[in-house]
Amino acid sequence: QAQLVQSGAEVKKPGASLKVSCRASGYTFIEQYINWVRQAPGQGPEWMGRINPNGGGTMYSQKFQGRVTMTRDTSITTVYMEMSRLRSDDTAVYYCARSSRLYYHGMDIWGQGTTVTVS
Amino acid sequence: DIILTQSPLSLPVTPGESASISCRSSQSLVHRDGYDYLDWYLQKPGQAPQLLIYFASYRASGVPDRFSGSGSDTEFTLKIDRVEAEDVGVYYCMQALQTPWTFGQGTKVEVK
């Protein structure tokens, strides 16, 4: 069955950079966008942006433009989210979630989440 | 950005009864393809959000038919019939009409 598996928890110092991975399996990798959604403690989810694995095109929320980079490696069906210049308010659980390129049907498969602590 | 406003923010429910959550959008969510790009997600404690409804009223695969979505344009409702203990968590609406996709504040459903 389709699944997304993320890399493990991270602890970073302010000003450092972060790279989280999301490995896809059980479906055709290039047919689904991968979105990144984060959730700060006690807050609602926040959409950060998405990558099209078919070509690598990206779309970022303006809030994260210039600080976030999403890439993919099709050979290992993995997407990466890099964030630079980390601040304490970047402390959150980061999720990847897929959505269809061809026919929208919501973000139907989510990774387990990666807890990032900036301190 | 599109703002989604949910109500109520907290909803105690009795098992077996029904519950409704409202989501109001600051802009119409009707796409030129005719669909309303409004989703509903449930986040159970300690878990990732899970998709319940997309296009305002289309149930996602595997979602019990106790869950139904309705509405269009700027007003949407999620209804849960015959609430069960496993339905507790925070329910979010989310718009996918325009980026950045945005979520409502969430409605915490608790079983009495």
Side-chain angles (χ1 to χ4, degrees):
Chain A
Q1 72 283 18
Q3 63 175 343
L4 300 172
V5 178
Q6 298 181 224
S7 49
E10 303 262 14
V11 179
K12 296 289 185 180
K13 293 193 180 302
S17 295
L18 167 73
K19 189 171 186 177
V20 180
S21 68
C22 172
R23 178 171 53 84
S25 63
Y27 70 93
T28 305
F29 182 60
I30 61 172
E31 289 183 354
Q32 307 274 340
Y33 293 128
I34 295 293
N35 300 271
W36 288 90
V37 175
R38 77 176 186 180
Q39 189 169 29
Q43 304 297 310
E46 179 178 32
W47 184 84
M48 301 174 64
R50 69 168 182 245
I51 183 168
N52 179 357
N54 185 20
T58 54
M59 181 170 292
Y60 303 128
S61 169
Q62 191 167 4
K63 176 176 178 177
F64 300 100
Q65 194 85 35
R67 210 161 63 93
V68 164
T69 303
M70 298 176 189
T71 57
R72 94 287 189 222
D73 185 336
T74 55
S75 68
I76 55 172
T77 62
T78 298
V79 168
Y80 303 93
M81 188 281 295
E82 293 184 84
M83 181 179 285
S84 61
R85 305 188 301 278
L86 290 169
R87 307 185 295 253
S88 58
D89 62 358
D90 292 319
T91 294
V93 178
Y94 289 74
Y95 297 101
C96 58
R98 75 171 194 180
S99 62
S100 177
R101 290 197 306 115
L102 306 174
Y103 177 73
Y104 184 77
H105 50 60
M107 292 189 283
D108 64 339
I109 301 292
W110 292 64
Q112 81 277 20
T114 297
T115 299
V116 174
T117 303
V118 182
S119 176
Chain B
D1 297 359
I2 294 176
I3 297 171
L4 299 179
T5 304
Q6 291 182 229
S7 62
L9 298 184
S10 178
L11 184 57
V13 296
T14 301
E17 295 189 346
S18 64
S20 288
I21 301 169
S22 171
C23 177
R24 177 174 296 178
S25 174
S26 62
Q27 301 178 35
S28 174
L29 299 182
V30 181
H31 190 272
R32 58 180 177 271
D33 63 11
Y35 291 103
D36 289 275
Y37 278 62
L38 188 283
D39 301 339
W40 289 96
Y41 295 87
L42 163 60
Q43 188 171 31
K44 297 182 179 182
Q47 297 185 17
Q50 57 188 81
L51 176 67
L52 298 175
I53 301 286
Y54 64 97
F55 285 161
S57 62
Y58 288 65
R59 245 185 325 272
S61 176
V63 175
D65 59 9
R66 301 184 291 105
F67 293 90
S68 61
S70 63
S72 184
D73 195 23
T74 62
E75 301 277 346
F76 302 90
T77 301
L78 176 71
K79 186 179 181 186
I80 313 169
D81 289 323
R82 306 179 304 280
V83 171
E84 298 182 2
E86 66 179 23
D87 299 334
V88 299
V90 182
Y91 290 78
Y92 295 98
C93 56
M94 189 204 83
Q95 67 81 20
L97 180 70
Q98 66 178 236
T99 59
W101 293 356
T102 50
F103 292 82
Q105 322 98 297
T107 296
K108 188 173 185 178
V109 171
E110 303 169 306
V111 173
K112 290 179 183 176

